[in-house]
Amino acid sequence: EGTVGETVTADAKSYTGFTYHADKSMVSGQVLANGSLELALYYDRNSYDIQYVNAEDATNSNASSYVYGVGLSLSDAAKSGYTFDGWYTERSFTNKITSISTTDTGNVTLYAKWIEATPEKQNGTASVTIADWTYGDASAAPVPASATNGTANVTYQYKAQEAADSAYSSTVPTDAGTYTVKAAFAATDSYNAVTATADFEIKPASLTVTGATAVDRTYDGTKIVQIREVALSGKISGDEAAVVCTNLTGTISSANAGTYNSVTLPALTLNGADKSNYTLVQPTGTVTLTPAVKIAEHTHTGGKATCVSKAKCSVCGEEYGSVDKNNHTGGTEVKGKVEATATKDGYTGDTY
C-alpha cells in the first residue's frame, strides 16, 4: 500500500531470453483512494536466427530461427552423393548437436558435416570379338570393348567350344578346332567386374600332293603300280601327318613295259598324330612320279606246247617257243578204214 495520490514508478527488469516491451507496459501511476495501484510490465520471448553453413545445395527442412524456452529439434539434411554426419557448432566439427535447448539464447551458426558416399556399383557391359585363323599362322588377338569398365585391365582365357567352363585356361590354343575366348574386364569405382565371350575357329591347314614314289616291277599285263610314298606340301616341320600308303596303288597310262613319269591316284587319307590339323587336297589329274617307275620286260612263262601249237604265256597270253611233236593233242585218228560191200569184206582201219 502507498500514500493516496502518490505517483509510483516500477523499474523494468532484465530476464534471460526475454526483451522488455515498453509500448505495452504501464510502468507508473497514482495510488488510488483505497491505497491500491496496479502496474503492468510486458516482456517478449526472444527469437534467434539460425544460419546453416555447408547446406546451401542440400535439402534442409529445419527452421531459420528458434524461440527461447521452446528450442528446436534439428533434422538431418540430405545431399546427393553424400552421407550427412550431423550439425556442429563450429567449423572444425568438434561439438555435434541434435537440438537447440529451451535455455539456449543468441543467434546460432550451425555447420553441416558431410561424408562422401561410396556409390553402389552398377553392373557393367562389355563385348569381345576375335578373328578366325589357320593352323600354323599367328594367333589373332581378342578385341575388347566396354563403355563402362574400359579396356585397360582385361584378361583372357580360352577353352574348346564344347568343353565345360572349368576347362578355361590362359593358354592360347594352337591346334585346329572351334574354341571360345572369355574376356574378364576388371571392376572400376562405379562398375562391377564383367565378362564377355566369343567363339572362333582355328581352321585346318591345307596339304597339297606334290608327287609320289612307286615300286618298280616286272610287266604283269596291268596298269597298277604299288605306291610307296606320297609327297606333301604345306606341312609344318616336326608335325606327324602323312598319306596312308599301306596297300595304296595307282594307275599308270599303259600296261606295257617301259618308264612312266606320272600316275593317277585314288582318294587319299591322312594318318599321324597331327592329321586333325590338316585338310588333304585330293589330287586331280596325274601326279608326278619321282623317280619314274620302271616296268621291266617279263620272261614268258607258263602254258604248254603241243604237237600243233606253241605254249601260251600265263602272264601276257602270247604264244612263245616251238611246238612239241611229242605232245600230241586233239584225240585219235583212224587210218586205212575200208567200207564193206556185197562182194567184198570191209576193214575197220588202224587207230593212231
Side-chain angles (χ1 to χ4, degrees):
E1 294 182 359
T3 304
V4 173
E6 180 184 4
T7 299
V8 177
T9 301
D11 295 329
K13 296 183 178 180
S14 295
Y15 296 98
T16 299
F18 291 88
T19 298
Y20 172 64
H21 196 154
D23 292 344
K24 293 182 178 180
S25 300
M26 186 173 64
V27 295
S28 65
Q30 289 182 340
V31 178
L32 300 177
N34 61 4
S36 65
L37 175 63
E38 184 174 337
L39 300 177
L41 282 74
Y42 289 91
Y43 293 83
D44 291 331
R45 194 181 296 271
N46 291 340
S47 175
Y48 301 101
D49 292 334
I50 306 174
Q51 180 183 7
Y52 298 95
V53 180
N54 298 336
E56 294 79 2
D57 54 350
T59 300
N60 180 18
S61 62
N62 291 303
S64 61
S65 63
Y66 74 95
V67 176
Y68 175 77
V70 177
L72 180 67
S73 179
L74 296 171
S75 300
D76 289 349
K79 183 166 66 171
S80 178
Y82 294 86
T83 299
F84 181 71
D85 192 44
W87 294 108
Y88 290 81
T89 57
E90 64 286 307
R91 194 179 297 276
S92 60
F93 303 117
T94 302
N95 182 39
K96 182 178 182 180
I97 65 172
T98 58
S99 64
I100 297 174
S101 74
T102 58
T103 60
D104 285 343
T105 60
N107 295 332
V108 176
T109 299
L110 296 179
Y111 299 86
K113 183 178 181 181
W114 304 98
I115 297 175
E116 188 171 2
T118 301
E120 183 178 352
K121 290 187 178 183
Q122 304 297 310
N123 292 328
T125 58
S127 65
V128 64
T129 58
I130 186 171
D132 297 338
W133 70 87
T134 299
Y135 172 74
D137 291 348
S139 60
V143 180
S146 176
T148 56
N149 296 59
T151 58
N153 296 296
V154 184
T155 57
Y156 303 99
Q157 290 185 309
Y158 304 83
K159 72 175 183 70
Q161 191 169 318
E162 301 303 324
D165 286 350
S166 58
Y168 273 116
S169 165
S170 60
T171 302
V172 180
T174 56
D175 287 338
T178 54
Y179 298 91
T180 299
V181 60
K182 179 172 69 173
F185 297 74
T188 67
D189 291 341
S190 301
Y191 293 94
N192 294 316
V194 63
T195 61
T197 61
D199 294 334
F200 66 97
E201 180 182 7
I202 301 178
K203 298 178 181 180
S206 295
L207 292 180
T208 304
V209 175
T210 59
T213 302
V215 179
D216 294 341
R217 64 167 173 80
T218 302
Y219 171 85
D220 63 2
T222 72
K223 298 180 182 180
I224 302 302
V225 290
Q226 182 69 41
I227 303 300
R228 178 184 289 119
E229 184 179 359
V230 175
L232 299 173
S233 173
K235 186 174 68 172
I236 295 175
S237 177
D239 276 2
E240 296 181 13
V243 171
V244 177
C245 291
T246 303
N247 298 323
L248 179 63
T249 60
T251 304
I252 53 178
S253 60
S254 172
N256 296 330
T259 300
Y260 296 87
N261 295 311
S262 63
V263 64
T264 300
L265 297 176
L268 305 176
T269 57
L270 286 176
N271 197 8
D274 300 302
K275 67 179 182 179
S276 60
N277 288 322
Y278 295 96
T279 296
L280 179 60
V281 179
Q282 296 296 330
T284 58
T286 59
V287 174
T288 300
L289 286 169
T290 305
V293 67
K294 297 177 181 179
I295 307 301
E297 292 283 356
H298 72 292
T299 301
H300 293 307
T301 185
K304 192 172 185 181
T306 68
C307 62
V308 294
S309 62
K310 298 177 181 180
K312 182 180 288 188
C313 178
S314 60
V315 176
C316 64
E318 295 182 3
E319 290 186 345
Y320 69 97
S322 57
V323 297
D324 184 356
K325 62 181 179 179
N326 296 318
N327 182 18
H328 299 291
T329 186
T332 60
E333 181 181 1
V334 177
K335 294 183 179 181
K337 181 179 179 180
V338 176
E339 297 292 336
T341 66
T343 60
K344 187 179 180 180
D345 291 334
Y347 180 60
T348 59
D350 300 317
T351 302
Y352 294 93

